[in-house]
Amino acid sequence: MPKKAVTSISVQLDNRSYPIDVGADILKTLPTYLIEHKVGKKVFLITDENVAPLYGRNLESVLSKNNYSVTFIVLPQGESQKSFKNVSSLLDQILELKVERNDSVVALGGGVIGDLAGFVASLCLRGINLFQIPTSLLAQVDACIGGKTAVNHSTGKNLIGSFYQPKLTLIDLDCLDTLPKHELKCGMAEIVKYGIIKNVELFHFIESNIKDIAEFTPKKHSAIWRHLIESSANDKAEVVSNDEREAGLRETLNFGHTIGHAIESAYAYGTFSHGEAVALGMISACEISVHLNLMAQDISDRIETLLKELGFGTKIPTIPIEKLLIPMESDKKVKNGKIRFILASEIGKTETRNDVPRELVKSAIQSLFK
Amino acid sequence: MPKKAVTSISVQLDNRSYPIDVGADILKTLPTYLIEHKVGKKVFLITDENVAPLYGRNLESVLSKNNYSVTFIVLPQGESQKSFKNVSSLLDQILELKVERNDSVVALGGGVIGDLAGFVASLCLRGINLFQIPTSLLAQVDACIGGKTAVNHSTGKNLIGSFYQPKLTLIDLDCLDTLPKHELKCGMAEIVKYGIIKNVELFHFIESNIKDIAEFTPKKHSAIWRHLIESSANDKAEVVSNDEREAGLRETLNFGHTIGHAIESAYAYGTFSHGEAVALGMISACEISVHLNLMAQDISDRIETLLKELGFGTKIPTIPIEKLLIPMESDKKVKNGKIRFILASEIGKTETRNDVPRELVKSAIQSLFK
């Protein structure tokens, strides 16, 4: 595959359709896209202090050379940046510079930056142009595709937000080279998820290449990583194209996330990464499926084996069980007070259930306890 | 016309289409609509301290009797409530009560409540059900139709917001009876606007019934007022159905608003109501049109005469002209630094111009000076 090849994946949403362009070293081509979209001269480039020295400064200078007037906004790193207070202060910064409707926000970073900057772009003058440039694997295959934006609230994650589609998502494969292993691992949990919920071919591809993948050296195995990203981005784009507002199909993307989110929020910040929590959530969801006779034991075993080979743990420290159950019961996905579970029946197939007994959820979580 | 007849006007926006139901004494039928929409049991009824005793308490009790769990939120009155701070505190109140996606916000009040409560509903869990019940004439014929929500920012009005459609807009004609004359007058400015920009029949209807209308006694002339409201709501619905996001046609609704907004913001709060400012803005826009040889002098005169007969003033206190020009130049409608003017060429026809010389704008405003 020639290094410069760009794969274009389409998110189909009528007049809000947009492409996800995937390629190596394509970040610096952003001005071409901006010119193509005839955007205004003001660009608000929002990133974090990790990404700023790696890609931000270069991108700023490329944009400036192309006569864009760039406001470079660098935020501290971390989930705590996804606050309503930050939304307010970013809006202040942008509005005070007399932004116009045709000006743009460029979100350069991981999921936190994508969610926050995307949300801000959606609110500013009821929506200005948004360009998503995800630099983490997790953002590339999940968070930055599909137009969900949000910040956190004291009562839960992502409870305040909007649906807002970018004009373009640009995935630069070279960004993988600067990612630490734990970030790659985090993204791999979501990639495995796509395999389980809808893409048997992808699941088999991961099984077949597990040794190479588990090295987490994307530079060495670039064709494998490119395939993982393209397949996953394509899977997500397909789901979103069919169900933007999560009326049904899009819900399946929450596989592993119901218990996963609870684990993420119940332990001290940083105990489990999103990917680790989702991996644990997928293991629990499989256990529930097996108990409900929905899934055969050997399939559950295959999934657990794959996750172990990728380096994911299968245990969590014991804590009072209510600490895990309560956040689940106040999640957005709760309907009429009942928790909705996405369960897999086999590789590539899911079922949505809201009749999982609380006791079964409890025992599935308890079997994760060390 | 039987008193109970309900007219249903449709806003056509694919899967976000919704009806505007107009009728006398239909406020109390809200539970029927909620049941029809199968909404969740939690209802956040947001209103202001003027409307609460008139309609809010009754509506709360009707909803409670139908087994909805109502959180009744009463805000102080006035434009200053449209703040980002209020959005934050309303979201806190709603999220702390563990709102679910299928729960609802009911916005009961004028444009301020509609804009603020609608915005909050759009952000909460990325959008919960919204029911708009406009109680002011201005909100009934304009603000509450079409899904624009927003709050103000220190740099300008309505600069932070979203496009978010309600499930239903319910216009109760009986609300007119409790409106003071100046509120009815305020709404009339927008009704005249629909006549000028797209509805010759409506303009003629107003001219023919000007004496009865200028009494501002909707109870006495209920058929006339019903026709004014239905025609205007229908005009707005048609525009929005064709151009939700203001890519073109919807812009024409800004006729009279460019200079109007500037007047509203340049003088001390309360000097000019929105309607008074829009009436003045329409007079200025006509003057600009006449100067550009776009409109005949006699049409401009007819419009000014009609507005005078409705009791609108045609003069503003002299202030430094820049105080009026600067807000115009930082408006959302500015494109590439140029002010976009909606100008009428004749009754029922508009043109969008971004080449109006600054000097002409200046002289049109100066001729409003006392």
Side-chain angles (χ1 to χ4, degrees):
Chain A
M1 199 178 315
K3 186 155 169 87
K4 291 287 167 189
V6 172
T7 309
S8 198
I9 296 162
S10 174
V11 181
Q12 300 282 357
L13 294 163
D14 300 323
N15 58 354
R16 288 165 297 112
S17 297
Y18 69 94
I20 301 166
D21 281 4
V22 186
D25 197 22
I26 58 167
L27 221 160
K28 63 184 177 209
T29 63
L30 179 64
T32 322
Y33 292 98
L34 297 184
I35 291 162
E36 198 181 294
H37 280 88
K38 298 185 180 141
V39 304
K41 281 295 164 200
K42 282 180 198 140
V43 173
F44 297 87
L45 175 56
I46 304 178
T47 190
D48 71 26
E49 50 192 24
N50 266 13
V51 178
L54 289 171
Y55 307 107
R57 290 287 164 205
N58 275 347
L59 190 56
E60 185 198 14
S61 95
V62 169
L63 290 169
S64 299
K65 271 181 202 144
N66 282 270
N67 298 318
Y68 288 98
S69 157
V70 185
T71 305
F72 192 48
I73 301 173
V74 182
L75 297 166
Q77 225 236 338
E79 183 74 21
S80 64
Q81 293 303 307
K82 280 176 59 177
S83 68
F84 205 62
K85 213 179 131 194
N86 260 356
V87 172
S88 177
S89 87
L90 285 167
L91 285 170
D92 284 344
Q93 282 183 72
I94 294 174
L95 290 170
E96 269 151 25
L97 286 166
K98 294 183 192 269
V99 63
E100 297 180 17
R101 279 192 183 157
N102 201 30
D103 291 331
S104 308
V105 163
V106 175
L108 175 73
V112 168
I113 291 295
D115 277 5
L116 176 63
F119 189 37
V120 167
S122 78
L123 299 185
C124 199
L125 312 185
R126 296 197 191 92
I128 60 175
N129 299 314
L130 172 65
F131 294 85
Q132 287 279 11
I133 308 185
T135 56
S136 76
L137 180 60
L138 183 61
Q140 290 179 341
V141 299
D142 183 15
C144 285
I145 302 172
K148 276 193 185 179
T149 79
V151 294
N152 301 326
H153 185 256
S154 59
T155 57
K157 276 185 72 165
N158 296 327
L159 296 187
I160 304 172
S162 62
F163 286 94
Y164 195 67
Q165 303 298 340
K167 294 285 174 216
L168 166 80
T169 295
L170 210 55
I171 299 183
D172 193 329
L173 295 164
D174 288 355
C175 290
L176 296 181
D177 300 340
T178 54
L179 290 176
K181 184 180 159 183
H182 71 264
E183 290 248 6
L184 292 167
K185 213 176 109 181
C186 195
M188 268 313 294
E190 299 288 346
I191 295 174
V192 170
K193 183 193 77 177
Y194 293 116
I196 299 172
I197 64 167
K198 77 183 292 277
N199 193 337
V200 189
E201 183 279 328
L202 176 61
F203 193 86
H204 290 165
F205 179 84
I206 301 169
E207 284 188 324
S208 310
N209 294 281
I210 188 66
K211 288 232 163 61
D212 291 344
I213 296 170
E215 282 182 22
F216 293 105
T217 49
K219 205 164 193 167
K220 185 171 160 200
H221 302 293
S222 61
I224 290 175
W225 284 89
R226 182 170 190 143
H227 183 74
L228 292 174
I229 290 176
E230 287 180 358
S231 298
S232 304
N234 197 59
D235 285 340
K236 175 98 186 226
E238 261 181 39
V239 170
V240 170
S241 298
N242 286 296
D243 176 25
E244 184 186 15
R245 301 236 159 190
E246 203 163 339
L249 182 64
R250 188 163 179 170
E251 250 189 343
T252 61
L253 298 174
N254 292 321
F255 177 70
H257 284 61
T258 310
I259 294 177
H261 278 156
I263 291 173
E264 242 183 310
S265 66
Y267 294 90
Y269 180 75
T271 310
F272 295 103
S273 72
H274 180 71
E276 287 167 335
V278 168
L280 290 157
M282 293 196 287
I283 290 169
S284 281
C286 288
E287 173 147 353
I288 291 171
S289 287
V290 170
H291 266 88
L292 293 171
N293 289 319
L294 199 67
M295 179 189 265
Q297 183 66 50
D298 67 311
I299 294 189
S300 175
D301 292 346
R302 255 171 82 191
I303 293 171
E304 192 169 330
T305 303
L306 198 64
L307 290 168
K308 277 183 188 163
E309 291 190 75
L310 288 168
F312 288 106
T314 56
K315 292 290 168 195
I316 57 179
T318 304
I319 52 169
I321 190 90
E322 293 300 321
K323 281 202 173 175
L324 287 150
L325 289 172
I326 288 167
M328 239 181 280
E329 285 159 353
S330 67
D331 194 88
K332 280 193 299 304
K333 281 79 153 188
V334 169
K335 212 168 177 175
N336 303 322
K338 284 189 175 157
I339 302 174
R340 285 166 76 77
F341 270 98
I342 308 300
L343 298 174
S345 50
E346 52 189 284
I347 304 296
K349 277 204 181 142
T350 58
E351 260 185 41
T352 305
R353 299 284 284 260
N354 63 4
D355 61 350
V356 179
R358 202 174 192 259
E359 282 309 306
L360 180 49
V361 180
K362 245 170 121 166
S363 79
I365 293 175
Q366 274 161 339
S367 66
L368 293 176
F369 284 156
K370 271 174 191 159
Chain B
M1 198 177 313
K3 185 154 168 89
K4 292 287 167 190
V6 172
T7 309
S8 198
I9 296 162
S10 173
V11 181
Q12 299 283 358
L13 294 163
D14 301 324
N15 58 354
R16 287 163 298 111
S17 296
Y18 68 95
I20 301 167
D21 281 5
V22 185
D25 197 22
I26 60 168
L27 221 160
K28 64 185 180 211
T29 62
L30 179 64
T32 323
Y33 292 98
L34 297 184
I35 291 161
E36 199 181 291
H37 280 88
K38 297 185 181 144
V39 305
K41 281 296 165 199
K42 281 180 201 141
V43 173
F44 298 87
L45 175 56
I46 304 178
T47 191
D48 70 27
E49 50 192 23
N50 266 13
V51 177
L54 289 171
Y55 308 107
R57 289 288 165 205
N58 275 347
L59 189 57
E60 184 197 15
S61 98
V62 169
L63 290 168
S64 298
K65 272 181 199 143
N66 282 271
N67 297 317
Y68 289 98
S69 157
V70 185
T71 305
F72 192 48
I73 301 173
V74 182
L75 297 166
Q77 225 235 336
E79 182 75 19
S80 64
Q81 293 304 307
K82 282 175 59 177
S83 68
F84 206 62
K85 214 179 132 192
N86 260 357
V87 172
S88 177
S89 88
L90 286 168
L91 285 169
D92 284 345
Q93 281 183 71
I94 295 175
L95 290 169
E96 268 150 26
L97 287 166
K98 293 183 192 269
V99 62
E100 296 179 16
R101 279 190 183 160
N102 201 30
D103 291 331
S104 308
V105 163
V106 174
L108 175 72
V112 168
I113 291 295
D115 277 5
L116 176 63
F119 189 37
V120 168
S122 79
L123 299 184
C124 199
L125 313 185
R126 297 195 192 92
I128 59 175
N129 300 314
L130 172 65
F131 294 85
Q132 287 279 12
I133 309 186
T135 58
S136 75
L137 179 60
L138 183 61
Q140 289 179 343
V141 299
D142 183 15
C144 284
I145 301 173
K148 276 192 183 178
T149 78
V151 293
N152 301 325
H153 185 256
S154 60
T155 57
K157 276 186 73 166
N158 296 326
L159 297 187
I160 305 172
S162 63
F163 286 93
Y164 194 66
Q165 304 299 340
K167 294 285 175 217
L168 167 79
T169 295
L170 209 56
I171 299 182
D172 193 329
L173 296 165
D174 287 354
C175 289
L176 296 183
D177 300 339
T178 55
L179 290 176
K181 185 181 159 183
H182 70 264
E183 290 248 5
L184 291 168
K185 213 176 109 181
C186 195
M188 268 313 295
E190 299 289 345
I191 295 174
V192 170
K193 183 193 75 179
Y194 293 117
I196 300 171
I197 65 168
K198 79 182 290 278
N199 192 337
V200 189
E201 183 278 329
L202 176 61
F203 193 84
H204 290 165
F205 179 83
I206 301 170
E207 283 188 323
S208 311
N209 294 281
I210 188 68
K211 287 229 163 64
D212 291 345
I213 295 170
E215 281 183 22
F216 294 105
T217 50
K219 208 165 191 164
K220 185 171 158 198
H221 301 294
S222 60
I224 290 176
W225 284 90
R226 182 169 188 144
H227 183 73
L228 292 174
I229 290 175
E230 287 179 2
S231 297
S232 304
N234 195 58
D235 284 339
K236 175 99 186 228
E238 262 181 39
V239 170
V240 171
S241 298
N242 285 297
D243 177 24
E244 184 185 15
R245 301 236 161 191
E246 203 163 339
L249 183 63
R250 190 165 180 168
E251 247 189 345
T252 61
L253 298 174
N254 292 320
F255 177 69
H257 284 62
T258 309
I259 293 177
H261 278 155
I263 291 173
E264 243 183 309
S265 67
Y267 294 90
Y269 180 74
T271 310
F272 294 102
S273 72
H274 181 69
E276 287 167 335
V278 168
L280 289 157
M282 292 195 288
I283 290 169
S284 281
C286 287
E287 173 150 349
I288 291 171
S289 287
V290 170
H291 266 89
L292 293 172
N293 289 319
L294 200 65
M295 179 188 266
Q297 182 66 49
D298 67 310
I299 294 190
S300 175
D301 292 345
R302 256 170 84 191
I303 291 171
E304 192 168 331
T305 302
L306 198 65
L307 291 168
K308 276 183 189 165
E309 291 190 75
L310 288 167
F312 287 107
T314 56
K315 293 289 168 196
I316 57 178
T318 305
I319 52 169
I321 190 89
E322 293 301 321
K323 280 202 175 175
L324 287 151
L325 289 171
I326 288 166
M328 240 180 280
E329 285 159 353
S330 67
D331 194 89
K332 280 194 299 301
K333 281 80 156 186
V334 169
K335 213 167 175 175
N336 303 321
K338 284 191 177 156
I339 303 174
R340 286 165 76 78
F341 270 97
I342 309 301
L343 298 175
S345 50
E346 51 189 284
I347 304 297
K349 277 205 181 143
T350 59
E351 260 186 41
T352 305
R353 299 283 285 261
N354 63 5
D355 60 352
V356 179
R358 202 176 192 258
E359 282 310 306
L360 180 50
V361 180
K362 244 171 124 166
S363 78
I365 293 175
Q366 273 160 340
S367 63
L368 292 177
F369 284 155
K370 275 176 189 158

